[in-house]
Amino acid sequence: MLENWLKSIKPDENLQDWQLGRQIDCYADIFPDLKEVKVALLGTGKEVDTVRRYLYELACPFAKMPIVDIGNLRKATDEFLLPVLRELLDNQIIPILISHEERPFAAQFKAYQNVRKKVTAVVVDERIPFHENDENYIADIHTSKSPKLEAMGWVGYQSHLTPPATIQFFQEKNDELVRLGKAKAQIETVEPTLRNADTIYFNLAALKQNEAPGLWSNTPNGFTSEESCQLCHYAGISDKLTSIGFYGYTAGSDPNNQTAQLIAHMVWYLLEGIHQRKRDFPTTTDGMLEYIVSLKDYDQDATFWKSKKSGRWWLQMDSSVKGKHELIACSYEDYQKACQNELTERVLNILERYL
């Protein structure tokens, strides 16, 4: 069924057994069997084939994790992309989308219509590409009724590229905004933001221009190649993440295929993260340690949970359904500050959003 919307690709036959391209199933002549598959690579055009070339050459220490490459879309339109993403999500397969354009993110979000009622999205970008009265992919998901946008996170935006009114707009919505400078100073502070995401939009323009020149838009400031790979590892290791897209690659502007190689490395670290998942996403609090903190200045208690498997932290928020609660990813620093009767910006945003 999926092959109706997809074009096959030609895998490199000269690879060695230890390389990724020999360990995954590709849509070449016959469409691969998706049974037991956990991750599916998907491109929107031939430009992605350059990325595949370098990705396939990398080592494959996660051969036991079933991965397929289902090729490229026949047409880079929502009409072709949506049914593919929906079928993958319905079968609990994580799509990794690589695209030249940014527009497909709206389809990436809307593909959750039959999967989840509410979706948390995180955008990694050099700017916040939103103006309240404009029609764009961010506006589309903000007005979506099915699925409904529960919350957004913004990672790596640069204040000098973003209108102050836009920043204020999302601050008032209690979304989590992480400026580039803060993220680069302590890259680990971004991990809880990415761990909260159901879906991630990674605009490659968030990377430094001299490290990723093959993009339709980027600037001198941005994440380094090492930092971008770390972000992808954080994204992959989160049990909650079920789709991710990398946007903005332009092969014709990529001397020595430098950017294609970097994207391949980013996808590799994403796959490594998925392979190393701890399966400790707290659908229940079994295997979790409970810490109750009395917030004297706020006249209430805060309940934190720590995973015995990974050491990661969550903040408990009561939902409107009696007897139910929701756990939101946070950091050990968030817990430490709460013990001192101080609330970090992340915790304040969570409290404002859910109370």
Side-chain angles (χ1 to χ4, degrees), residues 42 92 136 197 224 317 323:
L42 170 64
Q92 298 183 328
N136 57 31
T224 65
M317 296 305 303

Side-chain angles (χ1 to χ4, degrees), residues 15 22 42 45 61 105 124 137 181 188 251 254 297 308 326-327 338:
L15 298 173
R22 291 292 295 272
L42 170 64
F105 181 53
V124 182
Y137 68 98
E188 65 275 7
D254 192 16
D297 291 347
K308 293 180 181 179
E326 186 170 358
L327 300 184

Side-chain angles (χ1 to χ4, degrees), residues 112-164:
Y112 285 87
Q113 183 175 6
N114 299 324
V115 181
R116 295 186 183 178
K117 293 182 179 179
K118 295 183 179 181
V119 177
T120 297
V122 169
V123 173
V124 182
D125 202 336
E126 64 177 355
R127 64 190 78 210
I128 300 177
F130 175 84
H131 301 285
E132 193 171 355
N133 298 320
D134 288 354
E135 293 184 3
N136 57 31
Y137 68 98
I138 296 298
D140 285 345
I141 70 174
H142 259 272
T143 57
S144 174
K145 294 183 179 180
S146 181
K148 185 177 180 181
L149 180 66
E150 182 169 16
M152 286 200 75
W154 303 90
V155 174
Y157 77 95
Q158 300 174 38
S159 295
H160 56 276
L161 298 177
T162 306

Side-chain angles (χ1 to χ4, degrees), residues 280 287-289 305-314:
D280 62 352
M288 307 278 284
L289 298 174
W305 295 88
K306 178 183 177 182
S307 167
K308 293 180 181 179
K309 288 184 178 180
S310 66
R312 294 182 293 188
W313 290 78
W314 284 265

Side-chain angles (χ1 to χ4, degrees), residues 72-281:
N72 297 323
L73 290 176
R74 291 183 181 274
K75 294 182 181 179
T77 63
D78 289 358
E79 290 75 17
F80 278 69
L81 179 58
L82 263 173
V84 175
L85 293 179
R86 281 174 176 162
E87 185 162 339
L88 293 174
L89 290 173
D90 286 345
N91 288 282
Q92 298 183 328
I93 299 172
I94 301 170
I96 300 175
L97 176 66
I98 305 175
S99 173
H100 166 68
E101 300 182 77
E102 64 179 23
R103 180 182 47 78
F105 181 53
Q108 183 181 328
F109 179 83
K110 292 176 181 178
Y112 285 87
Q113 183 175 6
N114 299 324
V115 181
R116 295 186 183 178
K117 293 182 179 179
K118 295 183 179 181
V119 177
T120 297
V122 169
V123 173
V124 182
D125 202 336
E126 64 177 355
R127 64 190 78 210
I128 300 177
F130 175 84
H131 301 285
E132 193 171 355
N133 298 320
D134 288 354
E135 293 184 3
N136 57 31
Y137 68 98
I138 296 298
D140 285 345
I141 70 174
H142 259 272
T143 57
S144 174
K145 294 183 179 180
S146 181
K148 185 177 180 181
L149 180 66
E150 182 169 16
M152 286 200 75
W154 303 90
V155 174
Y157 77 95
Q158 300 174 38
S159 295
H160 56 276
L161 298 177
T162 306
T166 300
I167 297 173
Q168 182 179 356
F169 176 82
F170 287 103
Q171 286 175 334
E172 290 175 352
K173 286 184 171 292
N174 299 305
D175 287 338
E176 189 165 1
L177 282 73
V178 185
R179 290 177 58 179
L180 176 66
K182 180 179 179 180
K184 290 177 69 69
Q186 290 182 297
I187 196 71
E188 65 275 7
T189 61
V190 182
E191 186 274 330
T193 306
L194 297 174
R195 186 166 19 118
N196 273 324
D198 296 297
T199 184
I200 292 177
Y201 165 89
F202 201 123
N203 189 344
L204 297 164
L207 309 179
K208 290 175 68 71
Q209 187 177 44
N210 65 341
E211 300 207 14
L215 306 175
W216 60 266
S217 173
N218 61 353
T219 60
N221 292 311
F223 289 113
T224 65
S225 56
E226 294 87 357
E227 290 164 344
S228 63
C229 289
Q230 183 66 66
L231 293 176
C232 288
H233 180 80
Y234 285 150
I237 206 169
S238 168
D239 295 291
K240 193 180 180 187
L241 182 75
T242 49
S243 73
I244 186 170
F246 298 93
Y247 297 90
Y249 174 61
T250 303
S253 304
D254 192 16
N256 302 317
N257 295 328
Q258 178 178 331
T259 310
Q261 294 181 63
L262 176 52
I263 299 170
H265 292 180
M266 292 168 65
V267 172
W268 190 94
Y269 278 95
L270 174 73
L271 293 172
E272 182 190 50
I274 295 172
H275 183 251
Q276 294 178 356
R277 286 184 174 183
K278 306 298 183 182
R279 295 175 177 83
D280 62 352
F281 179 73

